[in-house]
Amino acid sequence: MLIAAPVMEVFAFVADERNELRYNRQVQSVQKLTPGPIGSGTRWRITTAAPVGTRTVELLISESVPGRRISSSSRIGGMHIDGTVSFRSHPLGTELSWRWTLQLPRSLRPLAPLIWRIGQHREARIWASLGSYLAPGAEDSAHRSPLPWNWIRHAN
């Protein structure tokens, strides 16, 4: 995904999990659990809508390299997810990419291909929502970022 904004601005926006409330409709609340600036060691509690009720995720930023990457670790039910969001300077702004690894409990392993497809689809939708949120002329301007960012395209 390309975003027409400087790398450090995009990095700071994505690093602050509270911003996800702005573009991910499934997120209902976000709490920062650790004091101080956001970086390696920061912990978050995120409540999301689930098919029945809500789901709480605890996320740990395991590595933060400003302007380059954010790695995190989280648990959802019995699943363990390690992920990295990478940021690269691009002539049009910032190139954003992501990679996740998923560890399933033994009981869910037969469903791994389905869970993986659902997860890929959901993650792509979340990042596309970020791009739409940052796009000029978004329908609900009251929920747009005050920053002058311009989503350009979602790269394959």
Side-chain angles (χ1 to χ4, degrees):
M1 170 184 296
L2 294 176
I3 299 173
V7 170
M8 290 306 291
E9 289 181 22
V10 175
F11 177 89
F13 185 83
V14 171
D16 190 337
E17 285 291 325
R18 294 168 290 204
N19 288 325
E20 195 163 350
L21 287 162
R22 297 177 177 190
Y23 61 88
N24 184 347
R25 293 185 190 273
Q26 287 188 294
V27 174
Q28 296 180 340
S29 69
V30 178
Q31 297 171 296
K32 186 172 178 265
L33 302 175
T34 50
I38 297 167
S40 298
T42 300
R43 289 185 13 236
W44 303 92
R45 180 176 297 123
I46 304 162
T47 302
T48 62
V52 177
T54 61
R55 174 176 44 203
T56 300
V57 179
E58 291 221 5
L59 183 138
L60 167 71
I61 295 178
S62 52
E63 180 186 35
S64 177
V65 180
R68 304 268 325 243
R69 71 182 162 275
I70 301 167
S71 296
S72 64
S73 178
S74 59
R75 288 200 178 276
I76 303 171
M79 298 182 288
H80 183 90
I81 303 167
D82 290 313
T84 299
V85 180
S86 299
F87 306 81
R88 285 189 20 209
S89 183
H90 186 278
L92 298 174
T94 301
E95 182 180 352
L96 184 138
S97 62
W98 59 92
R99 177 175 294 210
W100 307 111
T101 59
L102 173 64
Q103 296 174 3
L104 296 172
R106 182 164 281 145
S107 62
L108 292 178
R109 288 182 189 158
L111 300 174
L114 176 63
I115 292 169
W116 184 254
R117 267 190 230 107
I118 290 169
Q120 284 181 314
H121 175 74
R122 184 171 290 157
E123 197 66 21
R125 188 178 68 226
I126 291 167
W127 292 116
S129 293
L130 169 68
S132 295
Y133 174 80
L134 299 175
E139 284 183 34
D140 186 359
S141 61
H143 296 292
R144 286 193 62 225
S145 167
L147 300 172
W149 297 353
N150 178 12
W151 182 59
I152 298 168
R153 67 181 170 90
H154 182 78
N156 290 332

